[in-house]
Amino acid sequence: MAFLELENISKYFGRITAVDHINLAVEHGEFLTLLGPSGCGKTTILRMVAGFEVPGEGYILLDGEDITQRAASKRPMGMVFQSYALFPHMTAEQNIAFGMNIKHVPKATIQKRCAELLELVGLGEKGRSYPHQLSGGQQQRVALARALAVEPKVLLLDEPLSALDAKVRVSLRNEIRRIQQQLKMTAIYVTHDQEEALAISDRIAVMAKGRIEQLDQPEEIYSNPRTIFAASFVGSSNQFRGKLASASQGLCQVADYLLHVPPTADMQDGDAVLVLVRPEETNIQQADTQNETDANTTGNHIPGVIELRTFLGPFTRFHVRTEQGISLTADIPSQQAGDNYVAQHVMLSFAPEACQVLPLDSEDAQLVKQVEAEAV
């Protein structure tokens, strides 16, 4: 039995289904992230676990005990909010001590615990500072310490870093992960930031429309997405919509191209599919005679023209427009990108093994459009 279990959980707001029959098991000491776009139900799940919302259906079990109807104040949970929610008239130390005072913990114990937590979150000298005297990152560290002060069985974090600038976010997310691992604490983290989720999670639940699209380790979700939405939402991909010309031989017809892809035993000839290729799996070469010869022999070779070149530090991103008007992206190590320039005719190439082939239906296509629209 898992440490925290959600059994067939649903939540309705009028006619809107916010969470649709979710089953989820979280192991003790695990860092699980709920990842998805706005309105997918991830925060609603967190609020039901915390006790701020009551499920319309289903049960929540903690260490084998049903806590579905238990009040939030009676649950052994620590919550970190996006907005920090610190008391402005209290010092950092007083904010951290608040929950312990409510529970009538002895004063000496509170003082010792506050000092330990301030050190743990890297604010050992800021105990007497008020929130307005602290930076956003420091305020969120105080909020984290306050959540940990009551020694919760589960730590819940609702988009805790979204209000911070990029550099502080990276630093603080690493601190959150370090502290969680050090304390061996079970944690559920909500975010719409895929990079954040990939960086710190033991497992990720990718969500859309109140359902879990894929629940897996970060590496597996990135390398082997099981649904169109998971593949489109996590990481960037070149997308080719087409039909399988030969499922057994690994041939897919996309516009005028016949792509070589891995054979697919669970699909049939003529099935509509979406072929995904990560930009880092795509190579770029000058469109010379030799490359055109290669195009007729091995792998996948697609001619195009460079429209945009963007330097991104360790790699340079090239946006290439094909003769059929398809926009493709290639991420090339910057040390190898020097000879390529805008308006240059090039040949993009990628191995059949780099292709991820997923069945495509009308609902999947709509989800892809939604992800693309939110990314603009």
Side-chain angles (χ1 to χ4, degrees):
M1 179 179 292
F3 184 63
L4 176 66
E5 294 181 276
L6 279 64
E7 296 184 354
N8 204 33
I9 289 292
S10 295
K11 181 63 180 179
Y12 310 99
F13 295 102
R15 296 183 177 180
I16 298 174
T17 302
V19 177
D20 191 1
H21 297 91
I22 291 289
N23 289 286
L24 187 62
V26 186
E27 300 298 332
H28 187 272
E30 182 178 20
F31 195 112
L32 176 76
T33 295
L34 304 177
L35 173 67
S38 299
C40 71
K42 56 188 186 297
T43 293
T44 302
I45 289 177
L46 200 75
R47 291 178 61 83
M48 286 191 288
V49 173
F52 301 141
E53 300 283 355
V54 179
E57 298 177 38
Y59 302 92
I60 300 174
L61 305 177
L62 179 63
D63 205 9
E65 184 178 358
D66 188 347
I67 62 169
T68 311
Q69 301 298 326
R70 187 182 298 181
S73 60
K74 302 296 183 180
R75 299 190 185 194
M77 309 284 181
M79 186 84 172
V80 181
F81 299 93
Q82 176 182 345
S83 60
Y84 317 143
L86 299 178
F87 298 109
H89 62 285
M90 293 184 182
T91 64
E93 187 176 46
Q94 290 169 337
N95 267 282
I96 295 170
F98 181 78
M100 293 184 286
N101 283 322
I102 294 295
K103 293 187 174 184
H104 304 292
V105 175
K107 186 175 181 179
T109 302
I110 291 176
Q111 291 178 338
K112 180 181 179 182
R113 181 75 173 150
C114 285
E116 290 173 348
L117 287 169
L118 284 166
E119 289 294 333
L120 183 67
V121 299
L123 296 175
E125 299 178 357
K126 297 291 184 178
R128 296 188 179 183
S129 298
Y130 288 89
H132 73 272
Q133 297 172 316
L134 302 172
S135 68
Q138 289 172 333
Q139 290 182 55
Q140 195 58 293
R141 288 170 184 266
V142 174
L144 176 60
R146 182 179 60 184
L148 296 172
V150 294
E151 298 183 321
K153 290 186 176 181
V154 182
L155 179 64
L156 308 174
L157 304 105
D158 187 13
E159 306 243 21
L161 309 180
S162 61
L164 304 174
D165 64 57
K167 188 173 183 179
V168 175
R169 279 205 308 271
V170 171
S171 174
L172 194 48
R173 81 186 184 199
N174 293 337
E175 282 296 293
I176 289 173
R177 180 60 161 154
R178 176 187 65 80
I179 291 169
Q180 179 266 335
Q181 289 181 318
Q182 181 176 332
L183 299 178
K184 297 180 174 60
M185 179 170 288
T186 307
I188 302 178
Y189 191 98
V190 163
T191 185
H192 63 273
D193 188 322
Q194 53 170 293
E195 180 183 326
E196 201 168 274
L198 292 170
I200 63 176
S201 310
D202 290 316
R203 287 191 301 160
I204 300 172
V206 180
M207 295 191 61
K209 295 186 175 181
R211 300 177 182 177
I212 294 177
E213 290 281 313
Q214 184 171 349
L215 175 62
D216 227 320
Q217 296 177 343
E219 297 87 350
E220 190 68 16
I221 286 179
Y222 186 83
S223 301
N224 296 296
R226 295 176 187 168
T227 70
I228 296 292
F229 182 84
S232 300
F233 191 79
V234 179
S236 58
S237 296
N238 294 309
Q239 301 185 359
F240 302 90
R241 302 187 191 196
K243 292 185 177 180
L244 285 176
S246 174
S248 61
Q249 296 181 40
L251 297 174
C252 180
Q253 191 70 47
V254 177
D256 294 335
Y257 306 122
L258 187 64
L259 295 183
H260 296 264
V261 301
T264 51
D266 56 344
M267 285 185 267
Q268 299 179 350
D269 295 358
D271 283 356
V273 295
L274 188 68
V275 179
L276 302 170
V277 182
R278 298 292 187 188
E280 65 269 22
E281 299 281 355
T282 307
N283 297 314
I284 189 168
Q285 301 165 302
Q286 294 182 8
D288 55 24
T289 304
Q290 182 62 43
N291 287 328
E292 291 175 3
T293 301
D294 291 343
N296 297 320
T297 55
T298 59
N300 297 294
H301 298 78
I302 300 177
V305 178
I306 297 176
E307 290 190 318
L308 180 66
R309 170 180 171 146
T310 306
F311 177 71
L312 297 173
F315 66 91
T316 297
R317 177 162 294 170
F318 292 92
H319 296 266
V320 177
R321 177 73 59 176
T322 72
E323 296 172 354
Q324 283 69 30
I326 301 174
S327 180
L328 302 177
T329 304
D331 289 346
I332 307 300
S334 293
Q335 292 180 343
Q336 303 172 19
D339 294 336
N340 299 303
Y341 53 88
V342 172
Q344 180 186 21
H345 287 264
V346 295
M347 188 74 73
L348 293 180
S349 63
F350 48 90
E353 296 76 20
C355 300
Q356 301 170 6
V357 183
L358 296 170
L360 179 65
D361 58 28
S362 58
E363 184 177 351
D364 289 328
Q366 188 61 37
L367 282 172
V368 171
K369 289 181 180 179
Q370 176 187 340
V371 174
E372 292 172 345
E374 292 181 353
V376 174

